[in-house]
């Protein structure tokens, strides 16, 4: 009884006097951030406001990444930076195991008695270690149609990394933002801060000059001229790979990445023969399966799957009088654009279906998502040969998810996908960024 009263008393005190809670009497239902496509690296970059005073920082979107990491060695100035002390709740939320001191500090990224994690650059596959810390992050709320009031997460957890980890990232970027299934992934932290559903939706623009969008929370997700993409989703289960796919990770940690259950592949609605063993994970090593990635610009297929799919595609294209021409790296299958008609869904080429939990549930990839224009008269199939024995057999890359809305529901382990929004006369670049705040 005494302890209950004590608890009530302290929570009342916290409620009345905590400035962070008082400021947030407005509780957003969803949040929105812009995503641009970097023309030279083809990376997807978002902007988040962090620190005190607040500065906009550009970070690469890593769908399967575990948390946000930023360069703390260069230009990190903030009066609200707090390193996570050894054995604190922050350290355990971050899955930190190490605990140590840093000589040469104190400064952001270098403090004594702090815990560390192993941030990854998932593009170069370099990893290192860095201090766990928290700082203020702010972003715009949304009603699904426009951005609204700015809201603040006072103690957003992230990892510090040294400047060298930025190698290979788009110019101006200071880190990577992990949207993976992890306690301190962006979706989990925002959902916890504002008590909304553990859902987020990604809609990447195919244009390097018009921004796409990521929503945290439930729909509506409205694109001009008033298309609510949350109303036309097909659902498929998300699977957890029991073995982490990160560079370094605590033993026994499952992968934070998003895997789906592709059971077969069709080209122009005809089944392609693939080795189905490659389509599921080997549970002892976590090899195989199909994941979605924003750090691979194009879909990467294990060598035998690549051969089966491209052979079928070439055959179907020939039947449509499409002329094959010499390959243009990194692609192996290219065509003259001369006999290829253009449609609302992009170049008229054979469709590619990823068949999911049953024959009626498939993700159809049309020309807009399969073909890459490499010159004025050559189009290439935007799939890459991943060689034999890759860790993951099918990695669905950025090109194939552009102008599709993908909703990840972490609570129910379900992916909602829209197929190409071009068929609904809109694109991922059509979110109305005019603020109504
Ligand atoms: C950490 O502690 C050591 C002594 O154990 C001290 O020399 C060093 O300056 C301290 N570093 C920081 C960042 O406080
Ligand atoms: C299918 O793939 C598995 C895993 O790589 C391999 O062990 C097996 O030999 C393959 N089967 C065929 C028929 O190629
Ligand atoms: C392909 O070209 C041949 C010969 O020019 C023609 O007979 C046939 O109808 C064409 N097929 C298609 C699908 O356009
Ligand atoms: C975008 O939203 C603003 C604010 O609601 C509205 O005034 C404007 O008309 C919208 N733009 C378009 C093209 O509908």
């Amino acid at each position: 009884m005494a302890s209950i009263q004590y608890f009530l008393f302290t929570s009342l005190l916290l409620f009345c006097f905590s400035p962070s809670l008082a400021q947030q009497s407005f509780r957003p239902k969803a949040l929105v951030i812009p995503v641009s496509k970097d023309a030279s690296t083809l990376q997807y970059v978002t902007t988040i406001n962090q620190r005190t005073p607040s500065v906009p920082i550009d970070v690469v979107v890593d769908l399967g990444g575990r948390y946000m990491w930023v360069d703390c060695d260069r230009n990190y100035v903030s009066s609200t930076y707090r390193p996570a002390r050894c054995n604190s709740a922050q350290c355990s939320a971050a899955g930190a195991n190490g605990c140590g001191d840093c000589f040469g500090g104190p400064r952001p990224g270098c403090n004594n008695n702090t815990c560390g994690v192993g941030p990854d650059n998932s593009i170069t596959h370099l990893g290192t270690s860095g201090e766990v810390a928290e700082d203020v992050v702010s972003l715009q709320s949304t009603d699904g149609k426009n951005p609204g009031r700015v809201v603040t997460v006072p103690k957003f957890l992230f990892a510090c990394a040294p400047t060298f980890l930025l190698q290979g990232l788009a110019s101006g970027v200071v880190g990577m933002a992990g949207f993976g299934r992890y306690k301190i992934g962006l979706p989990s932290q925002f959902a916890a801060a504002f008590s909304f559903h553990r859902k987020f939706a990604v809609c990447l623009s195919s244009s390097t000059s018009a921004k796409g969008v990521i929503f945290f929370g439930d729909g509506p997700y409205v694109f001009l001229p008033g298309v609510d993409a949350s109303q036309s989703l097909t659902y498929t289960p998300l699977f957890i790979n029991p073995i982490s796919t990160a560079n370094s990770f605590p033993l026994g940690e499952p992968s934070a990445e998003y895997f789906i259950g592709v059971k077969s592949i069709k080209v122009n609605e005809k089944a392609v023969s693939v080795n189905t063993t490659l389509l599921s994970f080997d549970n002892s090593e976590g090899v195989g399966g199909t994941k979605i990635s924003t750090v691979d610009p194009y879909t990467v297929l294990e060598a035998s799957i690549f051969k089966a799919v491209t052979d079928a595609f070439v055959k179907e294209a020939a039947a449509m009088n499409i002329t094959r021409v010499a390959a243009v790296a990194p692609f192996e299958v290219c065509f003259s654009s001369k006999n290829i008609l253009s449609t609302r869904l992009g170049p008229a080429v054979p469709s590619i279906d990823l068949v999911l939990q049953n024959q009626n549930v498939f993700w159809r990839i049309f020309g807009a998502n399969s073909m890459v224009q490499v010159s004025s008269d050559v189009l290439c199939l935007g799939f890459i040969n991943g060689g034999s024995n890759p860790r993951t057999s099918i990695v669905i890359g950025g090109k194939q998810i552009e102008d599709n809305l993908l909703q990840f529901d972490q609570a129910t382990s379900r992916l909602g996908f829209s197929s190409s929004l071009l068929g609904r006369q809109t694109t991922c670049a059509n979110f109305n960024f005019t603020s109504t705040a």
Side-chain angles (χ1 to χ4, degrees):
M1 194 61 181
S3 66
I4 292 173
Q5 277 173 355
Y6 174 75
F7 172 75
L8 284 175
F9 177 69
T10 50
S11 40
L12 206 63
L13 266 183
L14 277 172
F15 187 72
C16 295
F17 300 113
S18 162
S20 64
L21 282 176
Q23 272 170 13
Q24 283 173 14
S25 53
F26 166 73
R27 194 159 70 84
K29 287 213 291 277
L31 309 172
V32 67
I33 52 175
V35 183
S36 49
K37 182 179 182 181
D38 179 67
S40 66
T41 58
L42 307 181
Q43 290 162 11
Y44 301 94
V45 176
T46 188
T47 307
I48 290 175
N49 294 294
Q50 194 200 32
R51 312 173 194 181
T52 304
S54 181
V55 288
I57 58 164
D58 285 348
V59 283
V60 171
V61 172
D62 182 4
L63 182 67
R66 292 170 294 173
Y67 39 74
M68 181 164 92
W69 62 261
V70 306
D71 171 12
C72 293
D73 285 358
R74 209 173 47 184
N75 304 329
Y76 198 114
V77 179
S78 176
S79 61
T80 43
Y81 179 92
R82 299 284 177 273
R85 293 299 168 197
C86 292
N87 307 314
S88 61
Q90 287 89 333
C91 295
S92 73
N97 39 12
C99 186
D101 286 350
C102 180
F103 301 91
R107 58 170 178 79
C110 182
N111 291 280
N112 277 349
N113 186 32
T114 57
C115 58
V117 285
D120 264 347
N121 177 326
S122 49
I123 288 166
T124 57
H125 302 292
L126 266 182
T128 181
S129 60
E131 178 169 287
V132 175
E134 55 188 24
D135 206 339
V136 178
V137 154
S138 60
L139 63 173
Q140 285 178 299
S141 60
T142 184
D143 59 359
K145 299 190 182 90
N146 293 90
R149 286 171 63 165
V150 170
V151 294
T152 296
V153 181
K155 295 177 173 179
F156 183 85
L157 279 164
F158 66 103
C160 276
T163 307
F164 79 78
L165 202 61
L166 299 176
Q167 275 167 30
L169 301 187
S171 141
V173 154
V174 298
M176 298 187 86
F179 289 75
R181 200 195 297 245
Y182 205 72
K183 233 187 276 176
I184 64 161
L186 271 70
S188 319
Q189 287 201 68
F190 293 144
F194 303 110
S195 315
F196 51 60
H197 289 291
R198 283 197 291 137
K199 288 182 186 174
F200 68 102
V202 174
C203 206
L204 302 177
S205 171
S206 53
S207 159
T208 53
S209 57
K211 289 179 189 340
V213 62
I214 293 177
F215 301 95
F216 297 96
D218 221 333
Y221 309 127
V222 180
F223 296 85
L224 294 170
V227 177
D228 177 4
S230 70
Q231 294 302 309
S232 56
L233 299 176
T234 301
Y235 294 97
T236 195
L238 286 167
F239 293 95
I240 294 180
N241 185 338
I243 313 291
S244 180
T245 41
N247 251 325
S248 64
F249 54 90
L251 204 63
E253 185 179 288
S255 175
E257 298 197 272
Y258 298 97
F259 286 81
I260 57 171
V262 171
K263 284 198 174 154
S264 63
I265 301 175
K266 291 182 178 175
V267 172
N268 257 357
E269 304 189 31
K270 293 171 195 152
V272 171
S273 164
V274 298
N275 179 348
T276 52
T277 307
L278 297 168
L279 298 180
S280 48
F281 323 119
D282 159 346
N283 281 342
S284 61
E285 290 177 50
V287 169
T290 301
K291 73 177 185 187
I292 305 172
S293 164
T294 56
V295 295
D296 292 270
Y298 305 104
T299 292
V300 183
L301 301 174
E302 179 277 338
S304 70
I305 302 177
F306 180 83
K307 181 166 191 317
V309 170
T310 53
D311 284 354
F313 194 90
V314 165
K315 189 169 155 235
E316 291 297 321
M320 293 166 80
N321 283 346
I322 297 172
T323 315
R324 192 166 175 189
V325 299
V328 178
F331 308 111
E332 293 186 14
V333 174
C334 299
F335 302 95
S336 158
S337 57
K338 216 182 297 158
N339 288 343
I340 304 181
L341 300 174
S342 43
T343 72
R344 185 191 300 293
L345 293 162
V349 294
S351 60
I352 300 173
D353 294 345
L354 304 177
V355 182
L356 299 160
Q357 62 268 39
N358 64 57
Q359 291 291 321
N360 302 322
V361 182
F362 52 86
W363 175 335
R364 177 158 293 175
I365 299 170
F366 295 101
N369 290 108
S370 62
M371 305 308 288
V372 180
Q373 181 110 39
V374 297
S375 66
S376 61
D377 51 5
V378 177
L379 287 170
C380 296
L381 180 62
F383 286 64
I384 306 283
N385 186 343
S388 44
N389 304 315
R391 187 166 183 97
T392 302
S393 304
I394 301 180
V395 179
I396 301 175
K399 170 77 186 176
Q400 280 68 41
I401 62 177
E402 287 171 355
D403 291 324
N404 285 240
L405 181 117
L406 301 181
Q407 184 195 54
F408 298 85
D409 185 335
Q410 295 184 330
T412 62
S413 275
R414 193 172 74 152
L415 171 74
F417 60 100
S418 67
S419 197
S420 180
L421 294 179
L422 304 178
R424 305 196 57 207
Q425 312 205 29
T426 190
T427 71
C428 288
N430 276 353
F431 181 71
N432 184 346
F433 276 107
T434 307
S435 174
T436 53

